[in-house]
Amino acid sequence: MTAPSSPYRSGFACFVGRPNAGKSTLTNALVGTKVAITSDRPQTTRHTVRGIVHRPDAQLVLVDTPGLHKPRTLLGERLNDLVRSTWAEVDVIGFCLPADQKLGPGDKFIAKELAEVKKTPKVAIVTKTDLVDSKKLAEQLIAIHQLGVELGIEWAEIVPVSAVGDKQVDLLANLLAPLLPEGPPLYPDGDLTDEPELIMVAELIREAALEGVRDELPHSLAVVVEEMIPREGRPADRPLLDIHANVYIERQSQKAIVIGSKGSRLKHVGTTARKHIEALLGTPVYLDLHVKVAKDWQRDPKQLRKLGF
């Protein structure tokens, strides 16, 4: 008699951590493709991007939340509410803590919030291990264990990973899968994300627009894709998708930064974004970009709604 194979599992996991803890990079490494935008500028993820990891024994749906932080604007408060509501709905929470930074007030703030979420299993994930030596890594692992003891959090696992160096990423997936409930796959095989294409395209444009101007415009950029329509009258074997998008900034003075001298910067943004969009959608794209001013949009509820927050 053959031993019964272990049951198939499927469910949701979310990565939390302060801004820039490596959550999006980890999502992309697990899924094996670019679904979440990554940036070395904190606070770039504003939408809950789901990446889907398909395994023979399980389907893991990753929900990528914005970094939880002490809010200073209305946008910040909305992002924090989004994080908390996400935690209430997932099957497992991965708390990302970078190996190269000592545990700070931001980490403790999140850990305290996590301690309130009683039933959901929590995995501490030490990210960016490629940036430290083994002694430093060991110190960080002990500090995280201690933090759990202090706050009454029982870590289901503490796992060091390097998404960039692809170290232990598979191990992490192996540890997350058994924590999911038994059940059939939630998404068809081959699906990598359930984010609407419009939002993913907007995120890719936003990432390209942030390249090189992060210091000057950290979070003042929002992108709205107005329309995506196939160009009429093209032969079937040579389709072209027309994408019209607006890049919104908060002040007139920022416009010149995004556009660049004689439009050079915006042209570069268009070229970079177009490559990524074509790879995502698998079709040639004509990208039409315009830069517009939406005054102080991060503090204005009406503008936030208009820009999709």
Side-chain angles (χ1 to χ4, degrees):
M1 229 173 89
T2 55
S5 62
S6 56
Y8 192 88
R9 294 176 179 274
S10 62
F12 294 87
C14 78
F15 293 145
V16 302
R18 59 189 154 95
N20 204 18
K23 301 181 293 290
S24 296
T25 310
L26 191 55
T27 298
N28 290 337
L30 279 162
V31 177
T33 186
K34 191 168 180 140
V35 290
I37 77 162
T38 55
S39 136
D40 48 17
R41 164 66 57 198
Q43 278 316 101
T44 45
T45 310
R46 294 217 179 107
H47 292 284
T48 305
V49 177
R50 293 172 174 81
I52 303 164
V53 183
H54 300 274
R55 298 164 50 93
D57 59 336
Q59 187 181 76
L60 178 66
V61 183
L62 300 168
V63 188
D64 188 26
T65 58
L68 190 78
H69 56 92
K70 292 211 163 78
R72 283 192 293 277
T73 62
L74 182 63
L75 174 65
E77 281 170 37
R78 289 205 180 162
L79 292 176
N80 278 359
D81 291 343
L82 182 71
V83 176
R84 291 193 191 92
S85 64
T86 304
W87 292 1
E89 293 160 10
V90 297
D91 302 298
V92 55
I93 297 171
F95 183 18
C96 295
L97 298 135
D100 64 329
Q101 294 164 36
K102 279 200 155 67
L103 299 187
D107 300 312
K108 289 174 184 155
F109 172 70
I110 295 169
K112 279 197 185 104
E113 295 269 337
L114 275 180
E116 299 297 308
V117 186
K118 297 293 182 213
K119 292 195 176 110
T120 317
K122 297 160 203 68
V123 174
I125 304 165
V126 185
T127 58
K128 310 188 184 186
T129 57
D130 50 303
L131 301 179
V132 297
D133 58 23
S134 53
K135 180 174 175 287
K136 216 156 171 194
L137 179 58
E139 286 167 7
Q140 189 72 323
L141 293 171
I142 292 164
I144 290 165
H145 172 73
Q146 262 320 107
L147 181 66
V149 173
E150 276 165 39
L151 296 172
I153 300 173
E154 200 173 316
W155 303 117
E157 306 279 353
I158 300 179
V159 198
V161 300
S162 165
V164 175
D166 200 20
K167 286 202 181 77
Q168 308 239 81
V169 174
D170 288 342
L171 171 69
L172 175 62
N174 293 342
L175 294 171
L176 291 173
L179 299 171
L180 302 174
E182 291 179 21
L186 302 164
Y187 290 90
D189 196 25
D191 279 15
L192 297 174
T193 175
D194 77 345
E195 255 323 79
E197 285 176 343
L198 225 62
I199 288 178
M200 291 192 69
V201 167
E203 289 282 86
L204 289 171
I205 296 169
R206 188 160 174 273
E207 182 177 31
L210 279 171
E211 246 354 281
V213 298
R214 296 184 201 239
D215 297 334
E216 295 150 286
L217 309 176
H219 333 317
S220 339
L221 279 179
V223 174
V224 176
V225 175
E226 297 296 335
E227 57 178 10
M228 288 188 356
I229 37 177
R231 175 85 55 96
E232 283 179 15
R234 297 280 295 191
D237 58 340
R238 288 185 46 233
L240 184 67
L241 189 66
D242 284 321
I243 299 178
H244 300 279
N246 292 325
V247 178
Y248 288 95
I249 46 183
E250 293 195 292
R251 289 187 297 283
Q252 190 65 37
S253 59
Q254 297 169 335
K255 208 167 175 174
I257 300 171
V258 178
I259 293 172
S261 163
K262 296 184 179 156
S264 60
R265 197 62 215 88
L266 192 62
K267 201 169 162 189
H268 178 68
V269 170
T271 311
T272 308
R274 198 185 73 239
K275 277 192 205 128
H276 288 306
I277 294 166
E278 289 181 340
L280 173 77
L281 303 178
T283 182
V285 159
Y286 168 76
L287 184 57
D288 176 40
L289 286 182
H290 293 274
V291 181
K292 299 190 168 186
V293 179
K295 207 164 150 21
D296 291 331
W297 64 265
Q298 295 195 56
R299 289 181 165 75
D300 177 349
K302 248 193 3 239
Q303 303 259 33
L304 280 172
R305 270 200 302 280
K306 185 181 153 201
L307 299 176
F309 297 114

